[in-house]
Amino acid sequence: MPLSAYELERADNIRCNQEVLRSLGIENPIASKVVTRVKGAAQNKKPKAEKPAPRVRSLRAQNLDPEGKPLPNKEVLPSPTPEPEPKRQRLASVPLDATKVSTGTTSAHEASTFLARLSMLAGSSSDTTPTTDGGGRTKATAKTKASMAIAAPESRSIALEALGVREDDIAKLVPDRIFSLEMHPADTKLLVAAGDTWGRVGLWDVDAGDDQPVVTFSPHSRPVTGLRVLPSAPHQLLSCSQDGAVRCLNLTGGASAAFVELYRAPEDAHGDYASLHGLSRTAGEGGALAIARSDGVVVLMDSRVSSAGASSWQAHDKKIFGVDFSPLQPCLLASASLDRSVRLWDVRTLGGKPKPLVELSHGLSVTAARFSPSGTKLLTTCNDDLLRVYAAGAWLGSKTAAKRADESEATVKHNNKTGQYLTPFQAEWVRGSDDVFACGSLAQPRGVDVFHADGTVASRLEHDHVTSVISLLAWHPTKPVLAASNSSGKVFLWRE
């Protein structure tokens, strides 16, 4: 192919430039190289990158010492993620000697001395005490024994502004978070009971001063979710737990006192059982106590007879947190559940497939339901941050009246988000009042919130000695005394 005019002119310029260089004595520095025009991109392809050299591992990573000699095998360290703890085994159904299940720093002798002090309380009555027969089954025996003097509950209003916490009115009853709290109704002695996360029950003799005021027992293997002393049986301390058992401690038994099992949730083929989450505050019609179970079943148990006669029914599809009988109508029972409802039942009509008289819908799970002292109102505590007050008078009336009664009279906005490490709040009526109720609080400074039944703020209980969140409350039925617990095992007393 002939060269173009441009290429001819360029070659002529190169020759002229080379002649000029030769005339100047400069040999040709530029090699005359014919440039070959290449089609395609094969020869313009970038060379392949060389394979990187293998990564050098340190001697330590190779488990070698500085001289290249093998090191001995290293100790295998535990995983940073803890292994799940095995489920705690249920305790046997046999009576547990109170002095032998004392725990912490409480010795058997100290527990025996403490219980002997309770047996010396004034008063005498003939009552029924549960015991066991040779086969380990619960039976009832009647005998006359010393018992606490119980006065009728007072309706006199309490001057809340006069209540305070003294320095010696604070005690640590159990090592861990308190799940249940009860104040004994005795008029002659202040006795407080608390149950914690790992099945311990602590008793506090407030009037004992520094003379061994607190003893702690371990009658259960899982959280103690309910403690109760019935006014009709003041010598008995009932406890229920997530280990599926209800036990009774004879407070006036002295050194021979024992935790006797009254009820035991049945096990299925896999060994699983329903946990218990609460006891009713009073006995209902016929003297039966209501028990809330995790499988949505309510059990009616008479502590005076064998648990074989306990009746039950499916009240909810999910866990029940609490149950409560109406003082006005002992046949009326309220059940608060995880299924976002409170249901009212007539325990006289539970044959076949029982249906609730009324169902009170809530926004989230309901942790407590409490009838007022007169039984005319119902107070509920819900995780939707509301405390609700209902009129309870018409629920056993006509169906039309019951349908109109499913709307709350008042609602109180209250922060109930206690989270994982605090015991859920359970609002309680102030002793003897149908107009005022109290609830634990997350607000600062720490204390107890008090409201009127119409939803307005009544007052607030605060004290410099109270520096942690208060979750549970228990009023003395005849004295102006309030017991309040936190999640570290401490109980505070507000009193005049």
Side-chain angles (χ1 to χ4, degrees):
M1 178 184 292
L3 296 178
S4 66
Y6 170 77
E7 291 174 332
L8 292 173
E9 183 180 0
R10 178 175 178 274
D12 186 52
N13 290 335
I14 291 174
R15 285 192 300 269
C16 293
N17 291 336
Q18 288 178 349
E19 290 177 358
V20 172
L21 291 175
R22 290 190 190 100
S23 63
L24 295 174
I26 302 175
E27 297 295 331
N28 186 11
I30 302 175
S32 58
K33 182 179 180 181
V34 179
V35 178
T36 305
R37 293 193 294 182
V38 178
K39 293 181 179 181
Q43 296 186 14
N44 295 325
K45 189 176 181 180
K46 293 183 179 180
K48 291 184 179 180
E50 296 181 358
K51 187 176 181 180
R55 187 174 180 179
V56 179
R57 298 178 63 199
S58 67
L59 293 175
R60 181 180 60 83
Q62 299 179 60
N63 199 29
L64 300 175
D65 64 11
E67 298 178 356
K69 297 180 181 179
L71 294 172
N73 293 330
K74 297 180 180 178
E75 180 183 358
V76 179
L77 299 178
S79 170
T81 304
E83 295 294 331
E85 293 186 4
K87 188 175 181 180
R88 289 201 169 194
Q89 297 296 322
R90 307 174 79 177
L91 300 179
S93 297
V94 299
L96 302 177
D97 189 337
T99 60
K100 293 182 179 179
V101 295
S102 57
T103 184
T105 59
T106 303
S107 65
H109 174 72
E110 290 171 338
S112 177
T113 303
F114 183 95
L115 293 171
R117 192 163 64 222
L118 297 183
S119 64
M120 298 172 62
L121 293 172
S124 178
S125 64
S126 179
D127 42 41
T128 305
T129 303
T131 59
T132 57
D133 57 17
R137 294 180 297 272
T138 305
K139 65 180 183 178
T141 58
K143 63 179 181 179
T144 302
K145 55 156 34 92
S147 65
M148 288 73 169
I150 305 299
E154 293 186 4
S155 59
R156 177 174 58 89
S157 61
I158 299 177
L160 297 177
E161 62 277 1
L163 302 183
V165 180
R166 305 170 192 167
E167 188 174 355
D168 56 350
D169 281 346
I170 304 173
K172 189 175 180 67
L173 273 65
V174 285
D176 293 295
R177 171 157 52 125
I178 293 179
F179 271 76
S180 54
L181 184 67
E182 175 72 332
M183 180 168 284
H184 196 282
D187 195 38
T188 57
K189 179 183 285 292
L190 286 178
L191 184 66
V192 183
D196 80 346
T197 309
W198 296 115
R200 304 181 190 93
V201 174
L203 298 180
W204 178 19
D205 184 357
V206 180
D207 301 324
D210 295 330
D211 182 19
Q212 189 60 33
V214 175
V215 294
T216 307
F217 306 97
S218 186
H220 297 278
S221 59
R222 297 186 65 193
V224 180
T225 51
L227 288 170
R228 197 67 65 225
V229 177
L230 298 177
S232 58
H235 62 289
Q236 296 179 2
L237 174 65
L238 303 177
S239 62
C240 78
S241 168
Q242 290 185 19
D243 64 5
V246 176
R247 290 185 176 271
C248 174
L249 172 65
N250 182 7
L251 295 173
T252 58
S256 62
F259 288 90
V260 179
E261 186 174 280
L262 302 183
Y263 172 80
R264 190 177 184 87
E267 298 182 2
D268 60 16
H270 303 287
D272 295 328
Y273 53 88
S275 57
L276 309 184
H277 289 269
L279 298 169
S280 60
R281 294 181 301 166
T282 59
E285 189 157 302
L289 200 68
I291 307 171
R293 287 193 349 193
S294 62
D295 56 357
V297 171
V298 174
V299 179
L300 296 181
M301 180 201 71
D302 192 339
S303 61
R304 300 167 297 182
V305 298
S306 170
S307 62
S311 60
S312 62
W313 77 97
Q314 191 73 42
H316 296 265
D317 294 330
K318 296 183 179 180
K319 179 195 303 183
I320 301 177
F321 287 107
V323 285
D324 195 37
F325 280 108
S326 168
L328 178 64
Q329 301 164 314
C331 59
L332 183 62
L333 177 73
S335 58
S337 172
L338 180 65
D339 66 5
R340 305 185 179 191
S341 71
V342 173
R343 293 179 180 176
L344 282 300
W345 307 87
D346 186 348
V347 297
R348 301 170 300 180
T349 59
L350 294 177
K353 294 183 179 180
K355 294 183 179 180
L357 300 173
V358 183
E359 181 171 331
L360 310 176
S361 298
H362 289 65
L364 288 174
S365 57
V366 189
T367 57
R370 298 285 190 270
F371 281 101
S372 63
S374 68
T376 57
K377 295 179 180 179
L378 180 71
L379 170 65
T380 65
T381 308
C382 182
N383 282 332
D384 62 359
D385 289 347
L386 289 177
L387 307 176
R388 296 173 173 86
V389 179
Y390 297 87
W395 284 334
L396 282 179
S398 64
K399 294 183 179 180
T400 304
K403 289 182 179 179
R404 292 198 301 266
D406 61 354
E407 296 183 359
S408 59
E409 286 188 338
T411 58
V412 178
K413 187 69 176 176
H414 188 267
N415 185 0
N416 296 330
K417 292 182 174 62
T418 51
Q420 180 181 359
Y421 300 104
L422 298 177
T423 302
F425 294 148
Q426 297 179 15
E428 302 280 355
W429 293 97
V430 173
R431 188 215 67 195
S433 174
D434 283 357
D435 182 57
V436 183
F437 61 88
C439 185
S441 174
L442 292 171
Q444 292 276 14
R446 302 306 188 191
V448 178
D449 295 329
V450 185
F451 302 95
H452 289 293
D454 60 4
T456 59
V457 177
S459 63
R460 181 175 167 83
L461 298 178
E462 299 174 356
H463 201 277
D464 293 340
H465 293 319
V466 180
T467 58
S468 55
V469 175
I470 297 298
S471 292
L472 301 180
L473 307 172
W475 291 93
H476 193 280
T478 60
K479 295 183 177 182
V481 181
L482 170 66
S485 66
N486 65 8
S487 291
S488 65
K490 289 184 179 180
V491 173
F492 306 84
L493 286 187
W494 264 278
R495 56 176 171 170
E496 297 176 344

